[in-house]
Amino acid sequence: MAAIGINRETIRKAWSAVGVVRPVFRQHRWRLLAGFLALAGVNSLQLIIPRIIRQTVDNLQQGIATQAGLLHFALLVLLISLGIGVCRFGWRYLILGFSRILEVDLRNALFAHLLTLDRPYFQKKPPGELMALASNDLSAVQMACGMGLIAFSDALFMSMATLGFMAYIHPGLTLLTVLPMPLLAGLTSYLSARIHHRFKKVQEQFSRLTEFSRDTLSSIRLVKVYTQEQDRTERFNTLGQSYVRDNLRLALVQGTLFPVSGMVANVSMLLVLYFGGRLTIRGAITIGDFAAFISYLFMLTWPIMALGWVANLFQLGVTSLHRIKTVLDAAPKLIEPAAPLPLPAVSQGFALRHLTFGYAPSLPPALKDLSLTIGPGVLGVVGRTGSGKSTLCQLLARLYPVPEASLFLEEQDINRLPLAGVRSQIAYLPQEVLVFSDTVAANIAMGKPDASPAEIETAARAAAIHGEILAMPQGYQTRIGEKGATLSGGQRQRLALARTLLLNRPILILDDGLSAVDTQTEHAIIANLRPYLAQKICIIVSHRLQALADADRLVVLAEGRVVEDGTHVELLANGGLYATIHAHQGMQEGCQ
Amino acid sequence: MRYDFGYFEEDHLKKVTEAHLWQRILGYVRPFWWEVAGALFLSLIITGAGLGLPALLREAVDNYIVNQGLTIPARLAGVTRLAGLFLALLGLEFVANFLQVVLLEWTGQRVMHRMRQQLFSHMLGLNLSFYNRNPVGKLVTRLTNDIQNMHEMFTSVIVTLFNDFIRLTGILAILFWMNWRLALCMCLLVPAILANTLWFSTLARNAFRRIRTGLARINSFLQEALSGVSLIQLFNREPYSRERFKALNRAYLDDTLYQIKVFGIFMPVVEILAMGATALIIWYGGNEIMQGAMTIGVLVAFLAYMRLFFQPLRELSQKYSIVQSAMASAERIFQLLDTHESLPVAREPQLPAKDGGMVVFQNVTFGYAPGQPVLHDLSFTVQPGETLAIVGATGSGKSTIINLLERLYDPDSGGITVGNADLRQLDPAWLRRHVGLVMQDVFIVPDTLRANILLDRLDIDDAKLTTIVDRAQLTALVRQLPEGWHTRLGEGGMELSAGQKQLLAFARVLARDPAILVLDEATSNVDTETEILIERAIDTALANRTSIVIAHRLSTIRRAHRILVMTEGCIVEQGTHDSLMAAAGLYYHLQSLQVRECGPS
Ligand SMILES: Nc1ncnc2c1ncn2[C@@H]1O[C@H](COP(=O)(O)OP(=O)(O)OP(=O)(O)O)[C@@H](O)[C@H]1O
Ligand SMILES: Nc1ncnc2c1ncn2[C@@H]1O[C@H](COP(=O)(O)OP(=O)(O)OP(=O)(O)O)[C@@H](O)[C@H]1O
Ligand SMILES: [Mg+2]
């Protein structure tokens, strides 16, 4: 038997997991009822056939069969099989269909929930893991609720009824022949648990293999430039070899399951042959009984095996359901307030008061006791690598949760304001741009799918990429390769800039958004932006002071703190980090 | 978001005769022909045993159980003897079955492992234009699912088909031998079953393909949405994404329901046909018995064989589709193996000159797509030990020059030499070790920080690594990490800031100590302070190396000995900073743009 440590805790867990699907069951209860009725119909009709056979054989044996009688029996068999056919279609459509509906409902619910989760959650749970959940675990649940339910009720019904009929013919013989049956059920359950265990190993190894090839092929430039071919091939070989090994281990158990079950079933047959044969010879049962007994036995083998299999299937289904439930129960730290305040019109901007933020408790905080007001106009942010500039931008864009009363928008604690509402005020260009393998136009219009071609073109012009797009083979309808592989670094960045500008929201955050663009183009973009920025609250992070030429105010971050704050002239006079950078970047004749 | 990317319809495949495919598949199996022969031999045993069991049953019924001619003890003894035989046959069947499963798996896995390995190293040899055209997801599918399909065919179909065939002919033979008239009657049903199976497999295959496509769409949508969740949230696209996902799921549901209907019709039809056979046996066989032309034992055995006969037929359609999808996979795999888009490697790679520091581009013209040149007739020379800077507008072809120098592509015309040897004559592995590149995009391998720096230079000890980390200005970072350089990066691990990633790329190059250094916008996300520190460190570590530096920040460029200015794939100016300033051309113009910022605004 599968070692199922059944205690109160596991049952409670299973029950709460089942709670996830209970409403779907309730919603489709009539469909399910009809399905099970059809299933019962199939089974009842199936049981009649051996009786007809028995009758025929007995009649023939006793010499009382007539031609008309035989024809009658034959037609009866055909008629019944027709009935079976109709009922079988019924349950397949109703119950299996239900399991698919359940699968789709769960997947939709899962996706909808995932969209509400925040960055910290996705850092702990990488996409690969969630993908596995959405495919493997969902299909385990679907199996348990479809085939599992069917096989279970089928097996229960069939074994009960068959046993009844057999016992009616000869109780003693029945008892003898079913002796191996519990063994069969136990064996199947044990072996399928083992199989599942090893199968999981195989699958894990398979996804390792998949991940490895995906990783290698998607960083093919790295592989080639750093001559990793040999090394990668060897590692792939090692992975492949353990995959082969795991498969063999699986085959060793799988190779025993069916032969062993078949053998146990045939042992029953042997018992019928040996003891039943004796009983028939002695005249205790008729030859017709003997034949029917054998037919019933055939019918019994599958349900009994199924019981073992189903036990395992249910166990898997519940485990998977539990995993799904943990995701559905995961609450983002960044949540919509229970009673959000109305979103004020943005005019004053942000205020940060003693804001401390760390990505993980084990890491030093990325922002320390930061106080800053960000009002209308352009705020330039400079600082050394890793000083927390991007962190600041991500907090403002509401991608990470912030402590209570540390970040204010329009003098309201941002934790009290509606999340989507705040985000809809902000256009944010992340430092690392993500371009999708879609058309250029679709990439620009991502935030506004109903944007007109004219709007898209205006945004592209502002980002100084319009000309280059027109030079592409199909202009705005050109499809971009995966991750923008067919674009130059600067083109990718400006495409993302155009996408951000198209949003036209009151707050604009550009995180080092022109780092891959040459000075001339940068200059053109800044000139394009100048009128656009006039009425906005704008935060521009850059390492190139050129991009900050229009800043009304500049702050310098160092190790998560503001160390300098003021206008260009003030900071130059200050003689701090800003002045040093300026001196380095301005070491040209024109400046001296 | 409108992304169904990641999912791609299979391109139209060239027509290859099936025989040709089979020949190639068998080529992979040939080294294992002993194992295959063994499996086929085991098939014979299994079939024999499977068919022998009902025969024994019939023997017992006819000869002993209903045979009034023998004495009761003789009849009992007969039953006992046959029961013993039955048991022996059971044991034999079990052992043969087990051996066959394991043998097949063992052989199949080894064949597939070879094929996968061959495919993988073949892919790594293909050039970048190939990768630009083929999405990674598709290539991964070749390595995993397509190989898996073939494996499935190998283990669960080829030999079982043989099994089934033997079994069906065996059963037919026995049936004909027992009662040929009844057997003939039953044969009439076979065409009906085959027709049904054929019809069904076409429907089922289409249904399956649609389901698979639907699932692939759902998964790629999910994948892309999960990697861009933040973007969806920032752009307030949640409702739209949800609806898109729902629509995809809706289509998938419709397809699965259709498939359930197809199966729901096929299964009962086979069942009805099987029952028809039973009815036939009852009616016709009964009549025969009544006329004394057949025994009851034969009737019982006929009923038992019927079951054995229909089992394989029921599964035939399933196997048929497995074979079909495996053939499609084989075709795709072979097509990939037949793609020879790798850059030609010289038969006997030339040994480069001792002083490999000189780089010459001679009249190089190159375009990623035919007819759209990105570089036009480009010529320049970098002397050993010289630092050359390349500046120019974005998209003017700077990174493309580097791609050619690393021989990721070959020029359409003209030639490139490193240390007086043409790139095409050199061993690419040697070349890439010789030329150290810091790329514009930094790829993070999901592993520790240390492994990310070393890559394959596992010979570097911790003392040396400490120096490298220090020179790459990463010491401060490493010190603040709880696990130091054993901290995991990438998926599920920690993230570096954009500048820190670029510093990591510097560390990689420092660990490899190349003869020629190439920096492609390597410090674009790094502040000037750190940049200066790292330049100094590199000057000490890699003193007097030839270097090529691409940068937009003019402060990065000023240390170069010579500067190339590019527009639209052509060199428009070159010279030292001073001479270019004096020429008052494009470079002067670019400089004056930066100068603006210096003046008090
Ligand atoms: N793999 C590719 N396939 C097709 N076209 C490409 C590919 N890579 C680059 N291009 C195109 O070639 C041109 C030159 O690109 P390249 O990357 O060399 O520019 P760059 O000068 O390095 O620009 P940047 O400063 O923006 O990085 C661009 O127009 C770009 O769109
Ligand atoms: N997701 C993350 N998890 C853990 N640590 C992080 C994460 N993102 C950033 N950090 C760390 O937080 C610190 C601040 O990073 P941030 O990205 O804000 O720097 P930055 O000022 O934008 O640097 P750069 O100029 O290189 O872009 C760095 O030390 C970085 O390693
Ligand atoms: Mg940053």
Side-chain angles (χ1 to χ4, degrees):
Chain A
M1 286 284 150
I4 316 169
I6 294 184
N7 56 35
R8 200 163 290 159
E9 181 57 16
T10 42
I11 291 181
R12 199 191 54 73
K13 254 173 138 177
W15 187 242
S16 78
V18 169
V20 175
V21 289
R22 213 175 295 136
V24 192
F25 271 87
R26 198 169 309 128
Q27 191 192 342
H28 296 279
R29 57 186 180 278
W30 297 117
R31 181 191 186 118
L32 282 171
L33 189 68
F36 282 116
L37 281 179
L39 194 60
V42 170
N43 287 335
S44 327
L45 289 175
Q46 258 177 349
L47 286 170
I48 302 178
I49 289 182
R51 292 186 64 85
I52 298 174
I53 292 176
R54 174 180 152 214
Q55 192 71 43
T56 318
V57 173
D58 277 352
N59 284 358
L60 285 168
Q61 172 84 5
Q62 291 154 21
I64 54 168
T66 60
Q67 276 200 350
L70 285 176
L71 191 63
H72 171 77
F73 282 141
L75 288 181
L76 204 59
V77 167
L78 270 185
L79 199 68
I80 290 173
S81 71
L82 221 61
I84 292 180
V86 172
C87 289
R88 198 173 283 248
F89 179 81
W91 71 247
R92 271 189 167 265
Y93 188 69
L94 293 169
I95 303 182
L96 289 183
F98 164 77
S99 73
R100 291 297 179 178
I101 293 175
L102 179 93
E103 177 197 343
V104 162
D105 277 3
L106 264 185
R107 194 182 290 118
N108 277 329
L110 203 61
F111 183 67
H113 185 71
L114 283 173
L115 284 185
T116 67
L117 294 176
D118 54 11
R119 284 281 276 253
Y121 184 82
F122 289 105
Q123 246 153 41
K124 269 186 291 156
K125 270 217 186 305
E129 207 172 303
L130 292 168
M131 289 296 296
L133 193 87
S135 46
N136 301 346
D137 285 318
L138 266 184
S139 79
V141 171
Q142 183 264 327
M143 277 293 275
C145 292
M147 266 342 246
L149 267 187
I150 288 165
F152 178 70
S153 42
D154 200 31
L156 213 61
F157 185 93
M158 282 300 270
S159 46
M160 289 303 153
T162 321
L163 281 177
F165 280 114
M166 285 167 77
Y168 176 73
I169 296 175
H170 196 277
L173 187 58
T174 310
L175 209 61
L176 257 174
T177 46
V178 300
L179 261 182
M181 293 296 175
L183 186 69
L184 180 60
L187 209 66
T188 324
S189 159
Y190 171 74
L191 285 177
S192 19
R194 294 286 302 260
I195 286 182
H196 170 249
H197 181 71
R198 296 195 174 181
F199 184 64
K200 222 173 94 186
K201 278 235 165 106
V202 166
Q203 271 193 323
E204 280 166 9
Q205 194 60 30
F206 186 70
S207 53
R208 237 168 266 147
L209 207 63
T210 312
E211 273 315 305
F212 184 80
S213 16
R214 185 188 307 284
D215 184 52
T216 304
L217 297 178
S218 58
S219 55
I220 188 75
R221 279 178 67 95
L222 177 85
V223 172
K224 287 191 177 263
V225 168
Y226 287 90
T227 49
Q228 303 274 291
E229 290 98 335
Q230 184 89 26
D231 175 57
R232 293 278 171 154
T233 312
E234 270 158 29
R235 275 163 66 186
F236 191 70
N237 190 25
T238 320
L239 282 174
Q241 265 164 358
S242 28
Y243 180 63
V244 170
R245 216 172 14 253
D246 285 341
N247 265 302
L248 275 177
R249 280 168 49 82
L250 174 65
L252 283 181
V253 205
Q254 225 160 22
T256 39
L257 175 64
F258 285 99
V260 163
S261 327
M263 194 166 83
V264 174
N266 274 327
V267 167
S268 287
M269 192 59 74
L270 178 71
L271 293 174
V272 173
L273 178 64
Y274 184 73
F275 293 104
R278 281 165 174 263
L279 285 174
T280 320
I281 291 169
R282 295 222 179 83
I285 55 174
T286 66
I287 178 72
D289 285 337
F290 181 74
F293 221 91
I294 290 181
S295 305
Y296 282 133
L297 201 60
F298 271 125
M299 285 192 171
L300 196 57
T301 332
W302 156 242
I304 297 283
M305 273 180 72
L307 274 182
W309 178 68
V310 161
N312 189 44
L313 211 59
F314 279 161
Q315 205 184 335
L316 294 184
V318 169
T319 321
S320 290
L321 204 54
H322 189 72
R323 263 200 292 271
I324 292 173
K325 189 176 169 344
T326 32
V327 174
L328 285 176
D329 286 350
K333 289 212 194 67
L334 184 64
I335 40 167
E336 190 69 28
L341 300 174
L343 189 73
V346 175
S347 62
Q348 279 169 284
F350 292 105
L352 288 78
R353 310 222 165 101
H354 305 289
L355 173 64
T356 298
F357 172 84
Y359 285 99
S362 60
L363 296 170
L367 295 180
K368 293 170 205 135
D369 196 31
L370 193 78
S371 295
L372 184 68
T373 54
I374 304 172
V378 178
L379 174 73
V381 181
V382 253
R384 299 188 59 166
T385 281
S387 58
K389 303 178 296 295
S390 301
T391 309
L392 175 66
C393 295
Q394 296 188 59
L395 293 188
L396 295 180
R398 295 297 272 149
L399 287 176
Y400 286 93
V402 289
E404 290 291 307
S406 57
L407 176 58
F408 298 81
L409 179 66
E410 299 301 309
E411 286 308 316
Q412 310 272 18
D413 184 350
I414 207 149
N415 286 320
R416 301 259 131 69
L417 295 175
L419 199 56
V422 173
R423 283 191 188 134
S424 70
Q425 301 300 308
I426 301 171
Y428 164 54
L429 174 64
Q431 190 168 21
E432 275 162 69
V433 297
L434 192 60
V435 184
F436 297 104
S437 49
D438 205 336
T439 62
V440 171
N443 262 294
I444 296 179
M446 199 193 112
K448 201 175 170 192
D450 53 351
S452 67
E455 281 177 276
I456 293 177
E457 196 188 307
T458 314
R461 274 182 199 281
I465 195 176
H466 174 68
E468 275 152 281
I469 294 175
L470 287 189
M472 290 177 188
Q474 279 109 36
Y476 278 88
Q477 298 309 317
T478 311
R479 277 190 87 88
I480 298 170
E482 256 188 320
K483 290 189 183 153
T486 53
L487 297 179
S488 84
Q491 286 167 343
R492 253 187 322 245
Q493 208 171 34
R494 281 173 294 146
L495 198 65
L497 178 64
R499 175 202 285 166
T500 313
L501 294 180
L502 181 68
L503 289 178
N504 199 11
R505 291 174 176 174
I507 301 170
L508 178 69
I509 304 177
L510 303 181
D511 188 357
D512 213 2
L514 299 173
S515 60
V517 175
D518 63 282
T519 22
Q520 197 173 12
T521 314
E522 179 180 38
H523 195 72
I525 294 175
I526 290 171
N528 292 341
L529 285 184
R530 203 163 288 142
Y532 178 88
L533 297 182
Q535 325 84 25
K536 290 190 195 295
I537 295 167
C538 183
I539 297 130
I540 300 181
V541 176
S542 181
H543 289 298
R544 274 146 72 179
L545 302 187
Q546 158 102 37
L548 304 175
D550 282 327
D552 300 304
R553 189 175 143 218
L554 294 152
V555 291
V556 180
L557 288 191
E559 294 180 5
R561 291 196 176 84
V562 175
V563 290
E564 287 168 55
D565 185 347
T567 61
H568 174 75
V569 180
E570 285 166 7
L571 290 191
L572 273 191
N574 213 355
L577 187 66
Y578 183 83
T580 326
I581 295 175
H582 188 266
H584 287 309
Q585 292 195 2
M587 262 178 58
Q588 294 121 359
E589 307 84 278
C591 294
Q592 268 124 40
Chain B
M1 246 170 286
R2 244 204 346 259
Y3 34 55
D4 6 299
F5 17 90
Y7 175 73
F8 297 83
E9 297 281 357
E10 289 309 338
D11 1 276
H12 195 70
L13 290 162
K14 270 180 279 171
K15 209 159 186 73
V16 186
T17 50
E18 300 256 320
H20 168 73
L21 271 184
W22 280 112
Q23 213 174 348
R24 259 181 106 162
I25 295 176
L26 287 180
Y28 284 90
V29 180
R30 195 161 303 129
F32 299 94
W33 76 275
W34 268 111
E35 283 88 338
V36 176
L40 292 182
F41 176 69
L42 287 171
S43 281
L44 291 177
I45 296 185
I46 295 166
T47 314
L51 293 182
L53 293 176
L56 284 180
L57 208 59
R58 185 187 65 89
E59 188 91 341
V61 173
D62 275 355
N63 291 356
Y64 303 104
I65 297 177
V66 297
N67 189 349
Q68 312 286 348
L70 290 176
T71 61
I72 298 248
R75 285 162 73 187
L76 290 182
V79 169
T80 314
R81 192 175 56 78
L82 284 180
L85 217 59
F86 196 91
L87 191 66
L89 218 53
L90 270 186
L92 187 67
E93 189 189 13
F94 171 73
V95 172
N97 235 326
F98 178 76
L99 284 181
Q100 196 189 39
V101 169
V102 174
L103 188 65
L104 275 180
E105 186 71 26
W106 161 239
T107 319
Q109 284 293 346
R110 281 202 304 173
V111 173
M112 293 310 139
H113 180 70
R114 272 192 191 187
M115 196 184 271
R116 193 165 43 222
Q117 208 57 34
Q118 186 196 359
L119 195 59
F120 187 74
S121 45
H122 178 75
M123 274 190 204
L124 289 193
L126 294 176
N127 61 15
L128 280 179
S129 334
F130 173 81
Y131 284 92
N132 287 341
R133 270 185 293 108
N134 291 283
V136 168
K138 187 165 137 185
L139 300 179
V140 171
T141 310
R142 296 289 165 279
L143 280 171
T144 53
N145 294 351
D146 280 331
I147 297 266
Q148 198 66 20
N149 278 349
M150 292 191 62
H151 175 251
E152 193 173 344
M153 168 176 84
F154 189 79
T155 45
S156 70
V157 177
I158 295 189
V159 174
T160 24
L161 268 186
F162 182 72
N163 264 357
D164 291 346
F165 180 72
I166 294 187
R167 169 175 292 219
L168 288 181
T169 34
I171 292 176
L172 274 182
I174 293 176
L175 291 183
F176 270 96
W177 174 69
M178 286 198 302
N179 185 316
W180 68 269
R181 285 178 306 274
L182 187 51
L184 207 61
C185 284
M186 287 183 34
C187 280
L188 293 180
L189 285 172
V190 173
I193 294 174
L194 286 183
N196 181 37
T197 306
L198 219 61
W199 165 78
F200 167 75
S201 357
T202 336
L203 285 186
R205 189 154 33 92
N206 287 337
F208 266 125
R209 190 164 44 214
R210 266 162 46 197
I211 290 177
R212 261 208 305 274
T213 316
L215 208 56
R217 283 219 179 93
I218 289 178
N219 281 339
S220 59
F221 182 89
L222 198 60
Q223 178 102 40
E224 206 124 33
L226 284 180
S227 58
V229 162
S230 301
L231 273 188
I232 296 179
Q233 292 174 345
L234 285 169
F235 285 60
N236 301 101
R237 304 300 297 146
E238 292 101 327
Y240 178 75
S241 302
R242 267 200 304 270
E243 284 314 310
R244 278 274 299 151
F245 195 65
K246 264 199 190 137
L248 285 179
N249 268 307
R250 180 75 235 176
Y252 167 76
L253 182 63
D254 289 344
D255 289 339
T256 50
L257 291 183
Y258 172 75
Q259 184 233 23
I260 289 173
K261 275 188 217 156
V262 169
F263 270 80
I265 291 172
F266 170 71
M267 292 291 182
V269 168
V270 174
E271 180 99 8
I272 289 171
L273 287 173
M275 288 294 184
T278 310
L280 204 66
I281 293 170
I282 290 179
W283 178 68
Y284 190 83
N287 274 327
E288 293 263 292
I289 291 173
M290 275 163 49
Q291 287 154 17
M294 202 175 106
T295 63
I296 291 183
V298 171
L299 186 83
V300 174
F302 247 93
L303 287 173
Y305 279 121
M306 235 21 256
R307 213 174 279 276
L308 292 179
F309 191 71
F310 276 95
Q311 192 62 29
L313 285 182
R314 199 173 304 182
E315 290 165 5
L316 198 63
S317 69
Q318 194 189 339
K319 285 174 188 158
Y320 186 64
S321 12
I322 292 182
V323 173
Q324 272 185 327
S325 73
M327 293 304 276
S329 292
E331 199 165 23
R332 292 193 288 259
I333 289 174
F334 292 147
Q335 199 184 39
L336 187 52
L337 281 176
D338 292 341
T339 310
H340 294 293
E341 276 188 56
S342 42
L343 302 177
V345 176
R347 193 75 53 67
E348 280 170 36
Q350 199 174 321
L351 262 185
K354 243 181 285 156
D355 177 23
M358 177 136 122
V359 176
V360 180
F361 272 61
Q362 188 105 53
N363 303 102
V364 171
T365 298
F366 170 77
Y368 292 98
Q372 292 176 346
V374 170
L375 300 180
H376 307 271
D377 197 24
L378 203 73
S379 301
F380 66 89
T381 306
V382 193
Q383 297 298 337
E386 189 187 22
T387 299
L388 176 81
I390 305 180
V391 294
T394 98
S396 58
K398 302 179 295 295
S399 301
T400 307
I401 292 181
I402 306 306
N403 286 341
L404 293 180
L405 179 58
E406 287 278 352
R407 200 160 180 241
L408 295 173
Y409 302 88
D410 270 343
D412 297 334
S413 68
I416 304 167
T417 58
V418 166
N420 288 328
D422 191 284
L423 289 195
R424 281 168 285 211
Q425 304 303 322
L426 290 172
D427 174 11
W430 178 87
L431 173 72
R432 288 170 192 159
R433 240 171 268 135
H434 190 73
V435 181
L437 169 63
V438 182
M439 285 185 276
Q440 201 166 7
D441 314 301
V442 186
F443 293 96
I444 299 288
V445 185
D447 206 331
T448 62
L449 178 57
R450 183 173 186 275
N452 260 290
I453 294 175
L454 296 184
L455 293 175
D456 61 343
R457 295 297 311 271
L458 298 175
D459 50 317
I460 289 181
D461 57 19
D462 280 2
K464 217 162 159 198
L465 184 62
T466 313
T467 329
I468 290 171
V469 165
D470 192 46
R471 287 191 166 138
Q473 311 300 315
L474 280 168
T475 310
L477 173 73
V478 170
R479 210 170 280 150
Q480 75 175 36
L481 293 177
E483 289 163 86
W485 58 45
H486 296 293
T487 309
R488 286 192 72 83
L489 303 182
E491 276 207 353
M494 89 158 252
E495 301 258 343
L496 296 181
S497 86
Q500 286 163 346
K501 279 187 198 167
Q502 294 191 325
L503 298 182
L504 170 68
F506 268 102
R508 281 180 182 161
V509 158
L510 286 172
R512 312 184 122 240
D513 192 20
I516 298 176
L517 183 67
V518 179
L519 307 179
D520 186 0
E521 290 179 41
T523 49
S524 60
N525 294 122
V526 177
D527 62 288
T528 311
E529 286 282 289
T530 311
E531 186 188 353
I532 289 170
L533 291 176
I534 206 162
E535 270 167 15
R536 281 197 200 125
I538 286 203
D539 281 344
T540 0
L542 306 176
N544 301 325
R545 306 290 156 100
T546 309
S547 10
I548 299 179
V549 179
I550 296 177
H552 292 305
R553 222 183 283 169
L554 296 185
S555 57
T556 315
I557 295 162
R558 63 161 192 272
R559 73 186 176 104
H561 300 120
R562 204 151 52 87
I563 299 164
L564 292 186
V565 185
M566 287 186 66
T567 10
E568 293 177 8
C570 301
I571 297 173
V572 287
E573 287 173 28
Q574 58 177 310
T576 61
H577 175 81
D578 293 335
S579 68
L580 289 175
M581 289 305 282
L586 182 61
Y587 185 77
Y588 175 82
H589 178 59
L590 290 175
Q591 287 290 23
S592 63
L593 287 176
Q594 276 218 334
V595 168
R596 280 169 52 95
E597 123 207 357
C598 311
S601 43

